[in-house]
PDB file of all heavy atoms in Angstrom:
ATOM      1  N   CYS A 136     110.628  17.866 -56.855  1.00  0.00           N
ATOM      2  CA  CYS A 136     110.423  17.925 -55.341  1.00  0.00           C
ATOM      3  C   CYS A 136     110.145  19.295 -54.983  1.00  0.00           C
ATOM      4  O   CYS A 136     110.906  20.201 -55.337  1.00  0.00           O
ATOM      5  CB  CYS A 136     111.524  17.446 -54.550  1.00  0.00           C
ATOM      6  SG  CYS A 136     111.422  17.709 -52.721  1.00  0.00           S
ATOM      7  N   GLN A 137     108.990  19.659 -54.346  1.00  0.00           N
ATOM      8  CA  GLN A 137     108.566  21.002 -54.004  1.00  0.00           C
ATOM      9  C   GLN A 137     109.267  21.558 -52.882  1.00  0.00           C
ATOM     10  O   GLN A 137     108.769  22.526 -52.270  1.00  0.00           O
ATOM     11  CB  GLN A 137     107.023  21.012 -53.846  1.00  0.00           C
ATOM     12  CG  GLN A 137     106.304  20.733 -55.289  1.00  0.00           C
ATOM     13  CD  GLN A 137     106.701  21.792 -56.327  1.00  0.00           C
ATOM     14  OE1 GLN A 137     106.435  22.982 -56.047  1.00  0.00           O
ATOM     15  NE2 GLN A 137     107.241  21.441 -57.456  1.00  0.00           N
ATOM     16  N   SER A 138     110.265  20.879 -52.457  1.00  0.00           N
ATOM     17  CA  SER A 138     111.140  21.458 -51.372  1.00  0.00           C
ATOM     18  C   SER A 138     112.520  21.616 -51.920  1.00  0.00           C
ATOM     19  O   SER A 138     113.142  22.770 -51.552  1.00  0.00           O
ATOM     20  CB  SER A 138     111.247  20.343 -50.183  1.00  0.00           C
ATOM     21  OG  SER A 138     112.075  20.628 -49.316  1.00  0.00           O
ATOM     22  N   CYS A 139     113.241  20.639 -52.657  1.00  0.00           N
ATOM     23  CA  CYS A 139     114.611  20.797 -52.880  1.00  0.00           C
ATOM     24  C   CYS A 139     114.845  20.763 -54.599  1.00  0.00           C
ATOM     25  O   CYS A 139     115.960  20.802 -54.897  1.00  0.00           O
ATOM     26  CB  CYS A 139     115.318  19.709 -52.357  1.00  0.00           C
ATOM     27  SG  CYS A 139     115.130  18.022 -52.912  1.00  0.00           S
ATOM     28  N   ALA A 140     113.744  20.567 -55.184  1.00  0.00           N
ATOM     29  CA  ALA A 140     113.826  20.569 -56.700  1.00  0.00           C
ATOM     30  C   ALA A 140     114.441  19.409 -57.292  1.00  0.00           C
ATOM     31  O   ALA A 140     114.802  19.293 -58.457  1.00  0.00           O
ATOM     32  CB  ALA A 140     114.509  21.852 -57.193  1.00  0.00           C
ATOM     33  N   ARG A 141     114.669  18.297 -56.500  1.00  0.00           N
ATOM     34  CA  ARG A 141     115.155  17.061 -57.178  1.00  0.00           C
ATOM     35  C   ARG A 141     114.075  16.418 -58.126  1.00  0.00           C
ATOM     36  O   ARG A 141     112.870  16.537 -57.659  1.00  0.00           O
ATOM     37  CB  ARG A 141     115.425  16.013 -56.241  1.00  0.00           C
ATOM     38  CG  ARG A 141     116.638  16.050 -55.322  1.00  0.00           C
ATOM     39  CD  ARG A 141     116.744  14.933 -54.260  1.00  0.00           C
ATOM     40  NE  ARG A 141     117.045  13.684 -54.729  1.00  0.00           N
ATOM     41  CZ  ARG A 141     116.633  12.592 -54.288  1.00  0.00           C
ATOM     42  NH1 ARG A 141     115.609  12.595 -53.310  1.00  0.00           N
ATOM     43  NH2 ARG A 141     116.850  11.433 -54.782  1.00  0.00           N
ATOM     44  N   TYR A 161     106.813  15.753 -52.647  1.00  0.00           N
ATOM     45  CA  TYR A 161     108.276  15.889 -52.176  1.00  0.00           C
ATOM     46  C   TYR A 161     109.025  14.525 -52.277  1.00  0.00           C
ATOM     47  O   TYR A 161     108.281  13.473 -52.320  1.00  0.00           O
ATOM     48  CB  TYR A 161     107.947  16.233 -50.633  1.00  0.00           C
ATOM     49  CG  TYR A 161     107.372  17.485 -50.378  1.00  0.00           C
ATOM     50  CD1 TYR A 161     106.058  17.555 -49.696  1.00  0.00           C
ATOM     51  CD2 TYR A 161     107.930  18.713 -50.745  1.00  0.00           C
ATOM     52  CE1 TYR A 161     105.343  18.635 -49.378  1.00  0.00           C
ATOM     53  CE2 TYR A 161     107.308  19.902 -50.532  1.00  0.00           C
ATOM     54  CZ  TYR A 161     106.003  19.832 -49.909  1.00  0.00           C
ATOM     55  OH  TYR A 161     105.379  21.076 -49.583  1.00  0.00           O
ATOM     56  N   CYS A 162     110.265  14.721 -52.298  1.00  0.00           N
ATOM     57  CA  CYS A 162     111.207  13.614 -52.481  1.00  0.00           C
ATOM     58  C   CYS A 162     111.466  12.787 -51.130  1.00  0.00           C
ATOM     59  O   CYS A 162     111.099  13.240 -50.039  1.00  0.00           O
ATOM     60  CB  CYS A 162     112.594  13.922 -53.122  1.00  0.00           C
ATOM     61  SG  CYS A 162     113.652  14.810 -52.002  1.00  0.00           S
ATOM     62  N   SER A 163     112.098  11.582 -51.247  1.00  0.00           N
ATOM     63  CA  SER A 163     112.137  10.818 -50.183  1.00  0.00           C
ATOM     64  C   SER A 163     113.153  11.401 -49.059  1.00  0.00           C
ATOM     65  O   SER A 163     113.195  11.038 -47.888  1.00  0.00           O
ATOM     66  CB  SER A 163     112.634   9.360 -50.558  1.00  0.00           C
ATOM     67  OG  SER A 163     113.785   9.433 -51.349  1.00  0.00           O
ATOM     68  N   LEU A 164     114.092  12.254 -49.639  1.00  0.00           N
ATOM     69  CA  LEU A 164     115.056  12.874 -48.742  1.00  0.00           C
ATOM     70  C   LEU A 164     114.411  13.970 -47.802  1.00  0.00           C
ATOM     71  O   LEU A 164     114.819  14.260 -46.712  1.00  0.00           O
ATOM     72  CB  LEU A 164     116.273  13.473 -49.458  1.00  0.00           C
ATOM     73  CG  LEU A 164     117.120  12.453 -50.282  1.00  0.00           C
ATOM     74  CD1 LEU A 164     118.291  13.259 -50.889  1.00  0.00           C
ATOM     75  CD2 LEU A 164     117.747  11.405 -49.323  1.00  0.00           C
ATOM     76  N   CYS A 165     113.456  14.623 -48.447  1.00  0.00           N
ATOM     77  CA  CYS A 165     112.932  15.768 -47.732  1.00  0.00           C
ATOM     78  C   CYS A 165     111.579  15.361 -46.906  1.00  0.00           C
ATOM     79  O   CYS A 165     111.213  16.118 -45.949  1.00  0.00           O
ATOM     80  CB  CYS A 165     112.447  16.904 -48.776  1.00  0.00           C
ATOM     81  SG  CYS A 165     113.644  17.643 -49.599  1.00  0.00           S
ATOM     82  N   MET A 181     118.261  25.872 -47.737  1.00  0.00           N
ATOM     83  CA  MET A 181     117.998  24.989 -48.899  1.00  0.00           C
ATOM     84  C   MET A 181     118.596  25.534 -50.094  1.00  0.00           C
ATOM     85  O   MET A 181     119.185  24.755 -50.887  1.00  0.00           O
ATOM     86  CB  MET A 181     116.410  24.884 -49.119  1.00  0.00           C
ATOM     87  CG  MET A 181     116.135  24.032 -50.146  1.00  0.00           C
ATOM     88  SD  MET A 181     116.735  22.276 -50.060  1.00  0.00           S
ATOM     89  CE  MET A 181     115.375  21.583 -49.075  1.00  0.00           C
TER      90      MET A 181
HETATM   91 ZN1   ZN B 344     113.345  17.057 -51.846  1.00  0.00          ZN
END
Side-chain angles (χ1 to χ4, degrees):
C136 171
Q137 293 296 302
S138 168
C139 74
R141 283 174 76 217
Y161 300 112
C162 77
S163 56
L164 295 180
C165 289
M181 181 60 85

